[in-house]
Amino acid sequence: MSTPTRITHLIAGSAWEGTAERTSEVFNPATGEVSGVLDLASADLVADVVAGAKQAWQDDWGNISLAKRTQVLFKFRELLDRDKERIAALITAEHGKVLSDALGEVIRGLEVVEFACGIPSLMRGGFSENASTRVDVYSIRQSLGVVAVISPFNFPAMVPLWFVPVAIACGNAVVIKPSEKDPSATIAVAELWKEAGLPDGVINVVNGDKEAVDALLTHPDVKAVSFVGSTPIARYVYETGTAHGKRVQALGGAKNHMLVLPDADLDLAADAAINAGFGSAGERCMAISALVAVDSIADDLIEKIKDRMGKLRTGDGTRGCDMGPLVTGPHRDKVTSYVEAGVTEGAELVVDGRGRQYDSDGEGFFLAPTLFDKVTPGMSIYDDEIFGPVLSVVRVESYDDGLELINSNPYGNGTAIFTNDGGAARRFQNEVEVGMVGVNVPIPVPVSYYSFGGWKNSLFGDSHAHGSEGVQFYTRGKVVTSRWLDPSHGGVNLGFPQND
Ligand code: NAD
């Protein structure tokens, strides 16, 4: 067993050299071994980092030209592309997802950098000449100052990349607080900004837990917070951050439904259910966890899914397996307890993922893909976000029953419909109360120039990530009304300004 490495904060372009009062362990989930010891930031340290970031924003970045910003962004894009395999390996080592999936995550993050490279046009304002006689009116968008990004464990590279490139492109300084479960990929990506030419202090990573998060949420110089994580914490972050005068977007948990109509291509639907249900061991906020099958085709569909599940290999993500471990031992135990609860509550366990053989050298945090049939609302495996490789089939009689089920759910992150009927698909996209909708696409993560985010308990705040909403979120609008005297002075007039 190798000695765990120290993992620390990235402050003003350098690794922190202080001594942490508190630390936590980081695991390799495929072997169960402790691979790192993470420094946890105190509230005082967070305050120092915010002060440094504010200084860097004031002195070096807030008013830098769009041309120079774009140069840094293009360079950063090149470096991230160069290092994508190295970063994917860091993700697999701490999160557990298989290498190909980790690489996919980095590449989706890279797309947001490419979007942010277009910042000169994205930040362009409007101009109206002669709004009044010889008076021009124009709008500009300005940076906010210091913004915080607080991210979850399940996408340690991609989720920070949803926000950071856009925030920086808009002229802000950023403090990231990654998940304490797998911080190394986030830090490695942040380190590349220095090489890209970003001035020190514009990007910082503080590691920590609730103490660090609370310090960011209450600090007067943090102007905006982008949070992604579970629904209870998202709600807390939104309420605390807004109570302290901040702009907050807090993306929460999910329970994503995939509705399969009788006319769907069942092979396509079965492949999609496997990919979206068990990819990344079900630890995706866009994972499908409820497969809503119209009863007439449910048996056939389940048979096809069962057949495919028999061929999946679970094990160490570096060994070409289909699915890796869960992120930690306690999380694996929690997910396993849902399998037990599903049986007790009367669902039919079609494929049991417990007690399998796994392709790993150690005691990793594994649970193989698990399938339940005849799941109904009221059972905990339906009501709760399990965040593991447990797929529940809920049978319905019709499209309308399926729609009602989905719309009654408190979450509204992603959903998908599988059908060959364009009219039904079109009706679904219009009627479903969910933020991201797939038509024969099981994981409809929007491309970077659209915005990512759910509805209902999957998002607190009204601003989604990246795309034009990201640019709006990280900037403030200002409108200037301007008159240059030519040739004469207008004289004193105390009346309300009117246009002439
Ligand atoms: P989490 O809520 O436990 O943690 C998220 C972040 O909040 C971490 O940085 C963590 O350190 C911090 N945190 C945890 N407890 C806190 C507390 N009491 N006070 C202050 N901060 C706290 O989430 P997770 O387990 O890391 O991630 C999985 C969850 O994230 C799932 O619910 C998943 O659906 C959700 N998620 C949502 C999206 C989305 O776009 N909606 C995307 C990815 C993940």
Side-chain angles (χ1 to χ4, degrees), residues 20 28 30 49 112 115-116 134-135 140 247 251 281 301 352 419 421 438 490:
N28 178 343
V49 175
V112 183
F115 165 74
R134 282 193 294 279
V135 172
I140 52 180
R247 191 178 280 196
L251 285 72
L301 182 61
D352 187 350
T419 178
D421 178 344

Side-chain angles (χ1 to χ4, degrees), residues 151-154 177 180 210 227-230 252-253 285 385 387 452:
S151 56
F153 80 82
N154 67 326
K177 206 302 284 172
E180 58 274 49
K210 182 171 168 51
F227 171 90
V228 180
S230 58
C285 62
E385 180 188 32
F387 223 54
F452 182 106

Side-chain angles (χ1 to χ4, degrees), residues 21-320:
E21 285 163 21
R22 295 184 305 126
T23 57
S24 68
E25 291 179 325
V26 175
F27 293 87
N28 178 343
T31 62
E33 287 176 2
V34 177
S35 58
V37 176
L38 178 71
D39 291 343
L40 302 178
S42 64
D44 287 346
L45 182 65
V46 172
D48 289 348
V49 175
V50 172
K54 186 179 177 189
Q55 200 69 52
W57 172 70
Q58 282 172 338
D59 297 348
D60 299 322
W61 194 247
N63 272 317
I64 203 159
S65 72
L66 287 164
K68 293 208 173 92
R69 282 185 226 180
T70 314
Q71 283 162 14
V72 171
L73 284 157
F74 270 91
K75 183 72 185 160
F76 178 73
R77 189 238 163 251
E78 230 174 79
L79 298 173
L80 189 57
D81 188 46
R82 180 196 70 189
D83 286 4
K84 57 184 184 294
E85 268 101 11
R86 177 175 70 86
I87 288 156
L90 288 171
I91 297 171
T92 297
E94 291 182 356
H95 174 285
K97 67 176 75 173
V98 301
L99 271 176
S100 55
D101 192 28
L103 187 61
E105 148 172 15
V106 182
I107 290 169
R108 288 309 297 259
L110 194 67
E111 290 173 10
V112 183
V113 186
E114 288 164 353
F115 165 74
C117 285
I119 196 66
S121 18
L122 295 167
M123 276 184 78
R124 211 161 42 192
F127 192 100
S128 300
E129 188 187 42
N130 280 334
S132 184
T133 306
R134 282 193 294 279
V135 172
D136 302 328
V137 178
Y138 47 98
S139 63
I140 52 180
R141 299 207 69 82
Q142 297 185 317
S143 59
L144 304 176
V146 181
V147 303
V149 173
I150 302 163
S151 56
F153 80 82
N154 67 326
F155 285 107
M158 185 183 77
V159 165
L161 284 166
W162 280 351
F163 303 108
V164 175
V166 183
I168 286 181
C170 290
N172 301 285
V174 182
V175 180
I176 312 175
K177 206 302 284 172
S179 168
E180 58 274 49
K181 295 183 182 120
D182 52 4
S184 294
T186 314
I187 298 167
V189 173
E191 280 168 349
L192 295 176
W193 284 103
K194 188 183 178 84
E195 198 181 338
L198 191 72
D200 287 346
V202 178
I203 178 101
N204 308 274
V205 182
V206 291
N207 296 293
D209 51 13
K210 182 171 168 51
E211 180 172 345
V213 171
D214 285 346
L216 289 167
L217 294 178
T218 54
H219 197 296
D221 285 332
V222 173
K223 298 299 177 195
V225 177
S226 299
F227 171 90
V228 180
S230 58
T231 288
I233 309 298
R235 184 182 280 117
Y236 168 77
V237 165
Y238 182 78
E239 287 172 356
T240 311
T242 50
H244 285 82
K246 297 177 203 325
R247 191 178 280 196
V248 182
Q249 51 180 182
L251 285 72
K255 191 82 191 178
N256 304 313
H257 298 68
M258 171 174 149
L259 175 60
V260 183
L261 298 189
D263 67 351
D265 178 330
L266 292 190
D267 284 306
L268 179 76
D271 287 341
I274 293 281
N275 299 344
F278 305 125
S280 196
E283 292 170 325
R284 289 182 184 142
C285 62
M286 292 291 276
I288 294 294
S289 53
L291 180 60
V292 186
V294 173
D295 201 40
S296 56
I297 48 90
D299 288 340
D300 285 353
L301 182 61
I302 288 169
E303 216 36 57
K304 286 176 187 291
I305 292 173
K306 216 172 117 182
D307 182 47
R308 285 160 172 78
M309 286 175 75
K311 296 174 189 141
L312 295 178
R313 207 155 57 86
T314 303
D316 189 321
T318 62
R319 296 188 178 187

Side-chain angles (χ1 to χ4, degrees), residues 249-437:
Q249 51 180 182
L251 285 72
K255 191 82 191 178
N256 304 313
H257 298 68
M258 171 174 149
L259 175 60
V260 183
L261 298 189
D263 67 351
D265 178 330
L266 292 190
D267 284 306
L268 179 76
D271 287 341
I274 293 281
N275 299 344
F278 305 125
S280 196
E283 292 170 325
R284 289 182 184 142
C285 62
M286 292 291 276
I288 294 294
S289 53
L291 180 60
V292 186
V294 173
D295 201 40
S296 56
I297 48 90
D299 288 340
D300 285 353
L301 182 61
I302 288 169
E303 216 36 57
K304 286 176 187 291
I305 292 173
K306 216 172 117 182
D307 182 47
R308 285 160 172 78
M309 286 175 75
K311 296 174 189 141
L312 295 178
R313 207 155 57 86
T314 303
D316 189 321
T318 62
R319 296 188 178 187
C321 297
D322 298 296
M323 199 184 89
L326 288 148
V327 69
T328 59
H331 186 57
R332 188 265 320 271
D333 296 345
K334 185 174 164 204
V335 175
T336 307
S337 76
Y338 275 109
V339 181
E340 282 142 27
V343 173
T344 313
E345 288 165 359
E348 190 179 309
L349 184 57
V350 181
V351 180
D352 187 350
R354 295 170 296 182
R356 299 294 186 82
Q357 292 292 316
Y358 306 108
D359 185 355
S360 165
D361 288 336
E363 292 294 311
F365 311 133
F366 293 106
L367 174 69
T370 297
L371 182 67
F372 276 107
D373 187 14
K374 304 197 171 85
V375 176
T376 56
M379 294 179 182
S380 61
I381 51 171
Y382 177 79
D383 291 347
D384 297 351
E385 180 188 32
I386 300 175
F387 223 54
V390 181
L391 183 62
S392 295
V393 177
V394 184
R395 294 174 180 242
V396 292
E397 288 304 317
S398 63
Y399 165 88
D400 288 321
D401 290 352
L403 181 77
E404 193 187 325
L405 178 82
I406 299 169
N407 284 350
S408 306
N409 196 277
Y411 295 104
N413 211 42
T415 190
I417 186 168
F418 277 71
T419 178
N420 278 318
D421 178 344
R426 199 165 179 285
R427 221 180 121 189
F428 184 74
Q429 78 180 32
N430 175 261
E431 294 175 340
V432 76
E433 291 169 14
V434 172
M436 293 171 281
V437 181

